[in-house]
Amino acid sequence: MSEKAQLAKDAIKRRQGGGKSPSKSTETGGQSGLNFYSGDVSSLKVQPNTVLIISLVYLGIVVLLHIFSKLRSGGAETTPEGQ
């Protein structure tokens, strides 16, 4: 087999993942792929579920404020003077 053909075979094997590669557990050190608390950082550590709940509460407050402002104004749309 020629050298070019062997290089082409090796390139295809690498693209398809057929070559020797370390397993996933050794790549990440046996941990899951999502490391939320990696490193020694002296900052606020918040879990993703907490962020989701806080954002939904904030969204609910904004919606309620829009509803209350419509109720307070009587629900009538204001038109510019002269029309």
Side-chain angles (χ1 to χ4, degrees):
M1 189 183 302
S2 71
E3 188 176 331
K4 284 185 180 181
Q6 184 63 34
L7 287 174
K9 268 185 143 180
D10 290 342
I12 291 172
K13 207 183 262 190
R14 271 180 285 176
R15 263 189 255 141
Q16 293 175 345
K20 293 182 182 177
S21 64
S23 65
K24 289 236 182 232
S25 63
T26 59
E27 287 178 2
T28 60
Q31 299 173 353
S32 68
L34 299 174
N35 293 327
F36 294 110
Y37 306 125
S38 61
D40 294 329
V41 181
S42 61
S43 62
L44 181 65
K45 293 179 175 71
V46 182
Q47 293 182 345
N49 289 341
T50 306
V51 173
L52 178 67
I53 290 170
I54 290 173
S55 63
L56 289 176
V57 168
Y58 176 75
L59 184 69
I61 289 171
V62 169
V63 168
L64 286 175
L65 286 173
H66 278 286
I67 291 171
F68 288 149
S69 70
K70 283 288 188 183
L71 292 176
R72 187 172 180 172
S73 68
E77 291 185 17
T78 59
T79 59
E81 292 180 29
Q83 284 188 356

